[in-house]
């Protein structure tokens, strides 16, 4: 009976968490209209650059790596003279630009969501004015820089494990005992890196939300607080929902991306109505949900501290 009640309470908490994160933008429609335009611009530019520039270079690199696996001297010379390193460097620059744009967009959404959650009715320009806003943004930028470094490291680890498994599997097509063991170990390493990358995405988003809500600090303290909030046992169901929203739901971008690649045009994303809306909605909702999660955690901690503080005062009076 107790387990059933606890399960029902947990489900109700998750539903209220999702509902609150959906309702929050409606409390300040003008502010979130500006934020929506910002998120849409970021999403369109990111997908357009990916379709026009990133995808052809990535396909070229994958083809060159596949040719290198054959260990043919003539093929190796042709690959090395075909700008392999140049393509790789440009892909890295594109990813760093995308990462900076994504974090700046998430920070703007988190600032708007945090101000709305606190009951402030303001515009996007008013969020970045004043000394208090300047201090908060300075701390948020420090947190965003740390998140960028950690996310880049996580992506490099994920990509390296995938490439290592793919190259070994392609070079050792025979199914011997040792070959199968090494291939399976590399696949397991890739899956562990993938799971870690997905879980850390929620922590990264929450760290941006924490930096937008708290004044001062920044960097390590905000990341440690977000890690503590996500891993707390008392909020594991809501944290699981946050991981779903921040990590698994963004696959909504891939149908639009694949369609644009198939049509060989980035402009089809605008010509065909609604192609980018799922991606825009996922980025917007995941960041708002992280902000709501943070404020709910703070309210819960405040309610837990009040009885302890009251009992301390009463015992002191006695």
């Amino acid at each position: 009976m107790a387990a059933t009640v606890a399960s029902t309470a947990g489900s109700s908490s998750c539903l209220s968490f999702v509902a609150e994160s959906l309702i929050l933008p409606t409390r300040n429609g003008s502010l979130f209209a500006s934020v929506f335009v910002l998120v849409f611009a970021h999403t369109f530019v990111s997908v357009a650059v990916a379709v026009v520039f990133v995808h052809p270079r990535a396909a070229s690199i994958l083809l060159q790596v596949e040719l290198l696996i054959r260990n043919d001297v003539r093929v190796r010379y042709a690959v090395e003279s075909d700008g392999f390193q140049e393509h790789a460097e440009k892909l890295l620059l594109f990813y760093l630009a995308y990462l900076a744009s994504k974090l700046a967009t998430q920070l703007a959404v988190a600032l708007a969501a945090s101000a709305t959650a606190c009951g402030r009715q303001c515009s996007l320009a008013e969020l970045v004015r004043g000394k208090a806003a300047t201090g908060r943004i300075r701390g948020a930028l420090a947190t965003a820089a740390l998140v960028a470094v950690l996310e880049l490291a996580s992506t490099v680890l994920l990509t390296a494990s995938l490439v290592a498994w793919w190259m070994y599997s392609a070079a050792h097509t025979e199914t011997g005992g040792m070959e199968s063991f090494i291939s399976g170990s590399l696949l397991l390493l890739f899956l562990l890196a993938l799971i870690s990358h997905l879980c850390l995405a929620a922590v990264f988003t929450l760290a941006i939300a924490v930096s937008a809500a708290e004044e001062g600090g920044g960097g390590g303290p905000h990341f440690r607080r977000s890690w503590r909030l996500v891993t707390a046992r008392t909020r594991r169901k809501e944290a699981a929902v946050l991981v779903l929203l921040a990590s698994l739901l963004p696959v909504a971008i891939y149908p639009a991306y694949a369609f644009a690649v198939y049509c060989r045009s980035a402009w089809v994303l605008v010509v065909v109505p609604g192609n980018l809306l799922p991606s825009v909605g996922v980025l917007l909702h995941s960041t708002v949900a992280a902000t709501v999660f943070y404020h709910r955690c703070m309210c819960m901690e405040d309610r837990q501290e009040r009885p302890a503080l009251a009992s301390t005062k009463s015992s002191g009076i006695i």
Side-chain angles (χ1 to χ4, degrees), residues 53-246:
F53 298 103
V54 175
H55 183 267
R57 286 172 172 79
S60 175
I61 286 180
L62 290 176
L63 178 61
Q64 290 172 357
V65 170
E66 184 177 0
L67 294 175
L68 284 173
I69 294 175
R70 300 179 183 177
N71 286 324
D72 190 326
V73 176
R74 292 172 299 176
V75 172
R76 183 179 295 274
Y77 174 77
V79 169
E80 292 177 351
S81 62
D82 196 29
F84 179 89
Q85 182 176 356
E86 182 182 355
H87 286 327
E89 291 175 353
K90 288 183 177 179
L91 284 180
L92 178 60
L93 290 177
F94 283 135
Y95 177 75
L96 291 177
Y98 160 77
L99 189 58
S101 176
K102 185 191 76 168
L103 292 175
T105 305
Q106 284 183 323
L107 179 57
V109 177
L111 285 171
S114 182
T116 305
C118 295
R120 293 171 54 198
Q121 296 292 323
C122 56
S123 64
L124 190 59
E126 292 173 348
L127 287 176
V128 296
R129 293 175 183 171
K131 294 183 179 180
T134 302
R136 182 181 290 107
I137 291 176
R138 189 180 294 112
L141 289 177
T143 304
L146 176 61
V147 168
V149 172
L150 295 176
E151 187 167 349
L152 178 62
S154 176
T155 304
V156 168
L157 176 61
L158 178 65
T159 305
S161 59
L162 174 60
V163 171
W165 171 68
W166 178 58
M167 291 184 65
Y168 186 86
S169 300
H172 299 81
T173 54
E174 65 276 5
T175 57
M178 183 58 66
E179 287 79 6
S180 298
F181 174 76
I182 296 177
S183 178
S185 300
L186 291 174
L187 177 59
L188 178 61
L189 178 63
F190 164 68
L191 292 177
L192 291 176
L194 177 61
I195 294 172
S196 301
H197 185 78
L198 293 176
C199 293
L200 283 175
V203 180
F204 295 153
T205 305
L206 183 58
I208 297 296
V210 171
S211 66
E214 296 185 355
E215 296 183 7
H222 288 167
F223 182 79
R224 286 192 296 270
R225 178 182 285 274
S226 63
W227 177 269
R228 179 177 61 83
L229 294 177
V230 169
T231 56
R233 295 186 60 184
T234 56
R235 292 178 290 268
R236 59 181 181 272
K237 290 186 177 181
E238 292 183 1
V241 174
L242 180 62
V243 171
L244 174 67
L245 295 175

